[in-house]
Amino acid sequence: MGSYRGLVRGMIGLKRCQTILQPLHRRSPQLTALSRTSASGTLFNRYLCSVSTTSGGQSDTKTLPKSDYDKGKGDSGSGKTDTSEGQSDTKTLPKSDYDKEKGDSRSGKTGSSKKDVRGGPVSWLSLILLLITGGGIVVYFDREKKRHIEELKSRTSSVKPGPSAGTAAIGGPFKLVDHNGNIKTDKNFLGKWTLIYFGFTHCPDICPDELQKMVTAIDKIKEKTKMEIVPVFISVDPERDTVEQIHDYVNEFHPRLIGLTGKPDEIRQVARAFRVYYMKTDEQDSDYLVDHSIVMYLMNPKMEFVKFFGKNYDVDTLTEGIIKEITAHK
């Protein structure tokens, strides 16, 4: 008898629920399937603990807390249901929040577990910024370098030459021996333009190159101006550069090249007068080199210093420079 009453009560409750939720059956297949397969009031009352709401043709659901579920279960068991215009009196989430939770539950990830997907350690943007920065630095330093050079040029051009304070204190009296064994002094060169170079006959490369440049230049000057320049070679290695050694050496370059040598004290005196530096290096018995200044001194017919020419002058610039100085002193 008790089972029969329970069955009748369940069927009555089922009929009421079908009447109330009939508008939802078309849009909620889950609800329809569950209502059809409910074998007893107890199974369907459990289903009533979840809320189904339709809005704009879509279904949004949210499971009630356990306390509300128990409450709903008790109400359904007693056959009582609060309804209003065919809808269940339950609280639902906004559609946007539900969709967000639904999407998260499908992907198995929550907002807090998501991680930003980034590229490698060097992205295209960082590479472009690096190139732009590097290019800017290069342009900046290049501009600063040019500006500094322009400032130096402007300072140099702005300096006006003042009144001459006299000739440089280069040159002076000397007494040496030429490659023919004759005594020569500074007075022997008066009346002619003279070009003097200091070196030594055992020099491996620099002295031969400079002497060849000197004699080639004086030949070109003679062709252009019909003026003869006296080329002079003074040794800074008197221990090895004897008269015979000097004689053989100068004849290899030019027939008019004059070679001078002397005692160590005499060479030291003339070198000091012309501000020439020289010093032995790597001395091993008789095999050594002599470090010295690489300069040619142009002397006027009074044996006064006019100008010096360094190693940076080639044959053409040396020729033009000497002609210019001679023309200016006429």
Side-chain angles (χ1 to χ4, degrees):
M1 181 64 69
S3 300
Y4 177 76
R5 291 179 181 178
L7 179 61
V8 172
R9 186 177 299 174
M11 293 178 62
I12 295 173
L14 176 62
K15 186 65 176 178
R16 289 183 180 179
C17 289
Q18 287 177 349
T19 303
I20 294 172
L21 299 179
Q22 186 176 4
L24 304 178
H25 287 170
R26 300 187 190 92
R27 301 184 181 274
S28 181
Q30 180 183 4
L31 181 62
T32 304
L34 186 60
S35 62
R36 289 177 179 177
T37 58
S38 298
S40 65
T42 302
L43 179 60
F44 190 72
N45 287 336
R46 289 183 180 178
Y47 176 77
L48 291 179
C49 292
S50 65
V51 179
S52 298
T53 307
T54 60
S55 176
Q58 296 180 356
S59 176
D60 299 337
T61 63
K62 178 177 177 63
T63 304
L64 291 175
K66 181 174 178 61
S67 58
D68 295 336
Y69 169 75
D70 294 338
K71 180 179 179 181
K73 182 178 180 181
D75 292 343
S76 61
S78 60
K80 297 180 181 180
T81 305
D82 294 335
T83 61
S84 176
E85 297 179 357
Q87 295 182 356
S88 176
D89 186 10
T90 58
K91 184 177 180 180
T92 62
L93 285 174
K95 177 175 173 53
S96 60
D97 294 339
Y98 169 74
D99 290 341
K100 183 176 181 180
E101 286 191 359
K102 184 177 181 181
D104 292 343
S105 62
R106 288 179 179 178
S107 61
K109 298 180 180 178
T110 60
S112 60
S113 62
K114 289 183 178 180
K115 295 183 180 179
D116 295 337
V117 178
R118 300 187 179 181
V122 180
S123 64
W124 284 108
L125 178 60
S126 62
L127 181 60
I128 293 173
L129 292 178
L130 179 62
L131 293 176
I132 294 175
T133 305
I137 293 174
V138 172
V139 171
Y140 171 77
F141 281 103
D142 184 64
R143 186 177 300 173
E144 288 296 315
K145 181 180 178 180
K146 291 181 179 179
R147 183 180 63 82
H148 183 65
I149 293 174
E150 292 296 330
E151 288 181 356
L152 293 178
K153 288 182 179 180
S154 62
R155 291 175 184 175
T156 304
S157 60
S158 63
V159 177
K160 298 181 179 180
S164 176
T167 59
I170 296 178
F174 60 83
K175 184 180 178 180
L176 299 171
V177 181
D178 68 5
H179 60 280
N180 294 318
N182 301 319
I183 301 297
K184 293 290 185 179
T185 66
D186 57 298
K187 292 180 173 56
N188 293 112
F189 299 96
L190 293 175
K192 295 181 179 180
W193 286 86
T194 306
L195 192 62
I196 303 175
Y197 178 78
F198 290 79
F200 63 107
T201 61
H202 290 78
C203 181
D205 48 12
I206 295 178
C207 292
D209 292 343
E210 292 300 298
L211 288 175
Q212 188 61 49
K213 181 170 61 178
M214 181 186 352
V215 297
T216 305
I218 65 173
D219 286 341
K220 286 190 173 184
I221 293 171
K222 185 176 181 179
E223 293 176 1
K224 293 182 178 182
T225 65
K226 306 301 180 181
M227 181 179 294
E228 290 189 357
I229 308 295
V230 180
V232 178
F233 170 73
I234 300 178
S235 173
V236 292
D237 185 18
E239 289 85 357
R240 293 182 299 182
D241 289 344
T242 61
V243 173
E244 293 78 10
Q245 180 73 18
I246 292 291
H247 181 273
D248 297 338
Y249 188 72
V250 297
N251 286 335
E252 294 179 0
F253 295 97
H254 200 278
R256 292 195 298 112
L257 178 59
I258 298 175
L260 299 176
T261 186
K263 297 178 181 180
D265 292 341
E266 294 172 341
I267 297 299
R268 191 179 300 111
Q269 179 183 351
V270 67
R272 186 181 297 112
F274 281 86
R275 305 294 189 268
V276 173
Y277 160 81
Y278 71 98
M279 184 181 65
K280 294 180 180 180
T281 61
D282 299 331
E283 184 173 358
Q284 295 179 359
D285 297 333
S286 61
D287 186 16
Y288 58 87
L289 297 176
V290 179
D291 188 17
H292 62 89
S293 303
I294 307 174
V295 178
M296 298 180 192
Y297 298 89
L298 179 63
M299 312 298 288
N300 64 18
K302 297 180 181 180
M303 279 302 286
E304 296 172 345
F305 171 76
V306 176
K307 187 176 181 178
F308 65 86
F309 300 91
K311 190 176 181 296
N312 57 317
Y313 283 81
D314 58 16
V315 173
D316 294 331
T317 55
L318 178 61
T319 301
E320 296 300 327
I322 293 174
I323 293 175
K324 180 180 178 181
E325 294 299 328
I326 291 175
T327 304
H329 281 76
K330 284 186 176 180

